[in-house]
Amino acid sequence: MTALSSRIESRMERLSLPLALEWPGGRAEKAGAQVRLKLHKPSLLNWLALGRIGNLGDAYVRGDLDIEGRLGDVMTIAAELAGDPVQQGHPSIWTRLILRARSAWLHTSTTGVPDSANRSA
């Protein structure tokens, strides 16, 4: 068993709902799966194993991923695959908002207008 398939199997086991996966040359399915992901590119398995939901969303928009199942079930699985961003080392939403506000404040002149708006064309 490869490290990638082991990681995917481990993620599937931890899900509260059964999931079925299909990709070129392979498939994995838990009994009673109500959600099915059809990956049209095997490279998407890596994003799935890493819980990179944003990358999978991009793949869906490009048509590289099909999703079947009830929306609520799909969202539950997506949330579980994404995991807790704090545990993954990503800043919380409050930290991001504070950093964004600080950046905006630093890039605003004393007139209250962003520096880029003060430049003449």
Side-chain angles (χ1 to χ4, degrees):
M1 177 179 288
T2 68
L4 180 61
S5 62
S6 174
R7 190 164 193 171
I8 289 174
E9 185 176 302
S10 172
R11 281 193 160 276
M12 288 180 70
E13 289 298 320
R14 291 187 306 232
L15 296 174
S16 62
L17 297 172
L19 173 66
L21 294 174
E22 294 181 26
W23 64 91
R27 68 182 310 149
E29 185 170 349
K30 286 181 73 176
Q34 296 295 312
V35 174
R36 179 175 306 278
L37 302 180
K38 293 182 181 181
L39 311 173
H40 299 292
K41 294 181 177 181
S43 60
L44 297 177
L45 286 169
N46 190 46
W47 296 125
L48 180 68
L50 295 172
R52 301 296 299 264
I53 299 304
N55 295 89
L56 293 173
D58 289 342
Y60 176 79
V61 170
R62 287 190 314 269
D64 295 334
L65 167 68
D66 293 330
I67 303 171
E68 299 174 6
R70 290 185 26 212
L71 182 59
D73 293 344
V74 171
M75 296 305 292
T76 297
I77 287 176
E80 291 175 7
L81 287 173
D84 183 351
V86 174
Q87 287 181 349
Q88 295 173 5
H90 300 293
S92 72
I93 190 163
W94 297 113
T95 302
R96 290 191 314 247
L97 287 172
I98 290 168
L99 291 173
R100 185 173 289 163
R102 180 181 178 269
S103 177
W105 177 73
L106 289 172
H107 292 93
T108 302
S109 71
T110 57
T111 63
V113 178
D115 288 336
S116 60
N118 289 331
R119 295 186 189 123
S120 59

